[in-house]
Amino acid sequence: MIAVLIPAHNEEQLIGACLRSVALAARCAGLRGEAVQVFVALDRCSDGTAGIVAAHGAQAIGLQSGNVGSARAAAAQAALAAGARWLACTDADSVVPANWLSAQLDCAS
């Protein structure tokens, strides 16, 4: 399984576009059907970010660190515990290209 790690702090305005782009990348033919799971570290969120994450079916990890490195580490720990073999990182305010994940895996060949 490929895990996508996304730290987030009050990103309700932008995380929907991010998650839609990651979902598109997860359906890329170049992945040959490999599962992709999204882990969002909700770091001190006080807005509607958590609801948007839930609506997109991503795994939410709540924490109160106020530190993007700690948030990313919490998401990585959850992903590895779930059996991830590859960790891909992006930010909640980013939109990734459709071949984002498959291009990363191509680099490992």
Side-chain angles (χ1 to χ4, degrees):
M1 176 257 291
I2 298 167
V4 177
L5 314 179
I6 305 172
H9 171 70
N10 291 342
E11 295 286 355
E12 71 181 356
Q13 297 299 315
L14 299 171
I15 198 162
C18 174
L19 293 170
R20 286 188 296 278
S21 73
V22 169
L24 182 63
R27 294 190 301 271
C28 180
L31 294 178
R32 295 178 285 285
E34 182 161 0
V36 175
Q37 189 170 350
V38 180
F39 295 82
V40 180
L42 300 168
D43 191 7
R44 296 180 11 184
C45 289
S46 59
D47 65 356
T49 303
I52 296 166
V53 168
H56 281 30
Q59 175 72 40
I61 299 102
L63 67 154
Q64 297 293 319
S65 73
N67 179 287
V68 70
S70 295
R72 198 176 311 275
Q77 183 177 17
L80 292 170
R85 74 172 189 94
W86 189 274
L87 302 178
C89 300
T90 192
D91 292 314
D93 60 356
S94 299
V95 173
V96 301
N99 70 338
W100 180 63
L101 294 170
S102 62
Q104 288 182 50
L105 293 184
D106 286 346
C107 291
S109 300

